[in-house]
Every structure is written in structure tokens, then in C-alpha cells.
Amino acid sequence: MIKYEWRKENRRTLYSCRLKFEELLQDIRDKKVNTIVVLKLARLTRSVADWEKILTFLEENDAYLDCVNDDINTTNANEKIISRILTSVSQQEIERTSERTKIGLAGGHIPHQAPLGYKHEDKKLVIDYATKDVIIRIFNMYHEGMSYQTISNV
């Protein structure tokens, strides 16, 4: 029986999702539910600190979590350590993406060779209008159904 179902589809539903999650936690405290089932651990949390809080809560309330796609549950020590490793990797991935995004937004790393349709100007990539016709031709060929390989061979 599915007691709760919620999805984080956009920021507007984040608050209502949190309310549903709090309701689920209360039902676990009240012993109405003893299992949380999620598709992937990363969809529940990507924070090591939050994951430790959830694990502690589950242990204190004789409940567990089952991650369907990750093939993980929290019923034994081996599965718990694997879940901790996956959460650590997820958190590291988010932090690395954030760092790279900040560097890019600050005008940081720019590839040595500008992509087709762009050129380097004052340490920034800007549109190269001299290649406009080539870009339009490539777009039209792709739009007509040609594959990347076929276009590259033209």
C-alpha cells in the first residue's frame, strides 16, 4: 500500500513536499509506517548531513528505507555504508558542478579553441557572425533528419 507519494517537480511544490515528508516522519514516530520507499537515494537527499539525520531517525524509530533503483535498504550495516558512500558522491558532484558554474559565470576557464560559431574576444566567447551561414546550414541539415555523422562528412 502506498501511503504517500510526492515529487519535486518544481520549486512551487517544494514546501508542500516537505509537509508531506514531515507527515510521513510523524507516521513513523506513531508506528503507522515502518518503511520509506524511494526510487533513488539521491532523490531523497544529496546531503551527507541530512542523510545521517534520516538514518538516525530511522534507527531510533525501528524503521528503514528501501531505494528501489539503487538496490539499497537500511536494514544492515553493509547497506548503510553503501548509502553513505552514494550520498557522499552525490554531494561531491553537486559541489563540483557549483564550483565549475561559478568559474564559468565569472569568465573563468574558456576552451583554447572556440566552438564553431563563436570566437574569443577579451577573454570571453562571443558570437562569430562570419560563420553564421555555416551554422544555419548545419542546423537545417539536422532539422531535415541528417545524423551528426552525415553532417560531419559533408
Side-chain angles (χ1 to χ4, degrees):
M1 175 177 86
I2 296 177
K3 175 79 172 160
Y4 300 92
E5 181 178 340
W6 76 92
R7 296 182 175 107
K8 287 186 190 178
E9 293 176 352
N10 59 42
R11 290 193 177 273
R12 292 183 200 192
T13 62
L14 188 58
Y15 180 72
S16 62
C17 289
R18 185 68 187 168
L19 291 176
K20 287 286 191 184
F21 187 68
E22 291 298 330
E23 190 178 329
L24 172 62
L25 296 180
Q26 186 58 49
D27 279 353
I28 290 172
R29 284 185 204 95
D30 295 341
K31 306 295 184 207
K32 294 178 183 176
V33 176
N34 73 342
T35 306
I36 299 174
V37 179
V38 296
L39 287 178
K40 293 181 64 99
L41 181 58
R43 301 309 301 148
L44 179 62
T45 184
R46 291 184 177 118
S47 162
V48 173
D50 288 347
W51 179 236
E52 287 302 321
K53 289 176 189 173
I54 291 170
L55 273 179
T56 300
F57 173 83
L58 293 171
E59 289 172 6
E60 290 171 349
N61 289 280
D62 296 319
Y64 71 97
L65 181 125
D66 191 358
C67 303
V68 178
N69 291 351
D70 293 331
D71 199 24
I72 292 173
N73 65 58
T74 59
T75 58
N76 63 59
N78 287 339
E79 299 291 329
K80 288 178 187 175
I81 191 67
I82 291 171
S83 70
R84 286 179 171 112
I85 292 168
L86 284 175
T87 304
S88 294
V89 169
S90 292
Q91 182 172 326
Q92 189 269 344
E93 185 178 308
I94 285 175
E95 291 169 356
R96 185 180 61 209
T97 301
S98 175
E99 289 171 359
R100 289 178 178 169
T101 302
K102 288 175 185 174
I103 289 169
L105 290 174
H109 172 72
I110 297 177
H112 177 67
Q113 183 176 357
L116 183 62
Y118 293 88
K119 64 182 178 181
H120 292 285
E121 196 172 281
D122 298 323
K123 296 186 178 181
K124 292 184 179 180
L125 287 176
V126 296
I127 295 173
D128 181 7
Y129 291 99
T131 60
K132 178 184 86 164
D133 293 337
V134 174
I135 300 300
I136 291 172
R137 184 174 175 219
I138 290 170
F139 176 81
N140 287 335
M141 286 188 289
Y142 180 76
H143 186 67
E144 291 168 5
M146 294 175 98
S147 70
Y148 295 121
Q149 186 64 48
T150 303
I151 293 169
S152 69
N153 291 335
V154 171

